[in-house]
Amino acid sequence: DGGITQSPKYLFRKEGQNVTLSCEQNLNHDAMYWYRQDPGQGLRLIYYSQIVNDFQKGDIAEGYSVSREKKESFPLTVTSAQKNPTAFYLCASSTQTDSYEQYFGPGTRLTVT
Amino acid sequence: AQSVTQPDIHITVSEGASLELRCNYSYGATPYLFWYVQSPGQGLQLLLKYFSGDTLVQGIKGFEAEFKRSQSSFNLRKPSVHWSDAAEYFCAVGSYGKLTFGQGTILTVHP
């Protein structure tokens, strides 16, 4: 079965710690995306990558970092510089030619205390 | 910059009733428009999309949406709602390879 895997589903961290969220896809998609979801605010784009070893900032990249060393993987690091890291994080992927039809993973809920 | 507004934060309907979720967009050119659905604690799934052509588009699960350029709207409809339709619905506009989402509308279905 092809799809997107995000792990873990729930993640708890202490303030001041960096944390990395995993995203893996076996859909053979070139493009991958990270979104942050907060209640009543919809989804906001953090970073996206259209090809291996290249990525671009989205609308709310401050306090986050990413890497794209493999086509299948697009991990997101939430750094201690992110002021309000507690949120639901969604990873998605798409083909390059149909970038608006995005396939989403189940999400990771990060709680920082 | 493009933007999407979903005026209704929460809508409640009875099972079997008709449904219309509102979406208004702001975009300079002909928009690419989408509706996604999210079940609680899950990722999003594409319901339908509009690129061009026929302004009434059909999607999965019996949903349809109508693009009205004069009103800058792309409202989602379903003639008869099922309890399994309870979820959060997001309208989105696409440009430069990225999606911009609305705030979402939570749908509650009463038996």
Side-chain angles (χ1 to χ4, degrees):
Chain A
D1 257 350
I4 299 181
T5 304
Q6 290 187 245
S7 60
K9 190 163 181 64
Y10 298 96
L11 194 52
F12 297 88
R13 282 293 184 269
K14 294 290 187 187
E15 198 172 315
Q17 293 178 336
N18 291 355
V19 58
T20 297
L21 281 59
S22 166
C23 177
E24 304 275 336
Q25 55 99 359
N26 61 4
L27 299 167
N28 199 32
H29 285 168
D30 289 306
M32 296 186 74
Y33 312 81
W34 273 106
Y35 294 92
R36 170 181 172 137
Q37 185 177 16
D38 297 283
Q41 295 195 47
L43 279 70
R44 292 180 289 168
L45 183 64
I46 305 173
Y47 268 97
Y48 63 105
S49 168
Q50 294 174 316
I51 198 167
V52 173
N53 292 322
D54 188 40
F55 48 83
Q56 288 77 40
K57 292 182 180 180
D59 300 318
I60 56 164
E62 185 175 347
Y64 300 96
S65 65
V66 293
S67 63
R68 186 87 187 277
E69 297 176 1
K70 298 188 300 182
K71 186 175 183 177
E72 302 80 16
S73 178
F74 191 40
L76 172 75
T77 297
V78 184
T79 75
S80 56
Q82 168 50 233
K83 290 185 171 45
N84 296 299
T86 295
F88 190 52
Y89 291 88
L90 287 160
C91 178
S93 70
S94 73
T95 63
Q96 274 205 9
T97 53
D98 199 4
S99 61
Y100 302 128
E101 185 163 350
Q102 297 181 10
Y103 293 77
F104 284 80
T108 291
R109 186 166 298 281
L110 172 65
T111 301
V112 177
T113 57
Chain B
Q2 67 274 14
S3 66
V4 179
T5 301
Q6 294 179 244
D8 305 305
I9 296 172
H10 194 173
I11 283 185
T12 300
V13 299
S14 298
E15 193 169 13
S18 63
L19 171 70
E20 183 168 29
L21 302 182
R22 296 184 291 163
C23 171
N24 294 100
Y25 67 89
S26 172
Y27 188 65
T30 300
Y32 296 155
L33 295 163
F34 307 83
W35 275 99
Y36 280 81
V37 61
Q38 183 182 35
S39 297
Q42 299 297 317
L44 278 69
Q45 181 184 21
L46 180 65
L47 278 177
L48 48 77
K49 57 188 176 184
Y50 171 78
F51 282 1
S52 64
D54 193 349
T55 56
L56 185 63
V57 294
Q58 303 296 323
I60 61 172
K61 305 185 182 190
F63 286 92
E64 66 178 28
E66 186 171 13
F67 170 60
K68 293 185 176 180
R69 184 187 299 276
S70 61
Q71 298 177 19
S72 297
S73 70
F74 188 57
N75 294 351
L76 182 71
R77 302 194 295 245
K78 188 169 185 179
S80 177
V81 170
H82 188 262
W83 64 266
S84 60
D85 294 323
E88 189 162 13
Y89 292 80
F90 292 93
C91 183
V93 62
S95 73
Y96 299 106
K98 298 183 291 180
L99 288 171
T100 298
F101 288 88
Q103 303 92 323
T105 298
I106 297 171
L107 174 65
T108 298
V109 181
H110 279 170

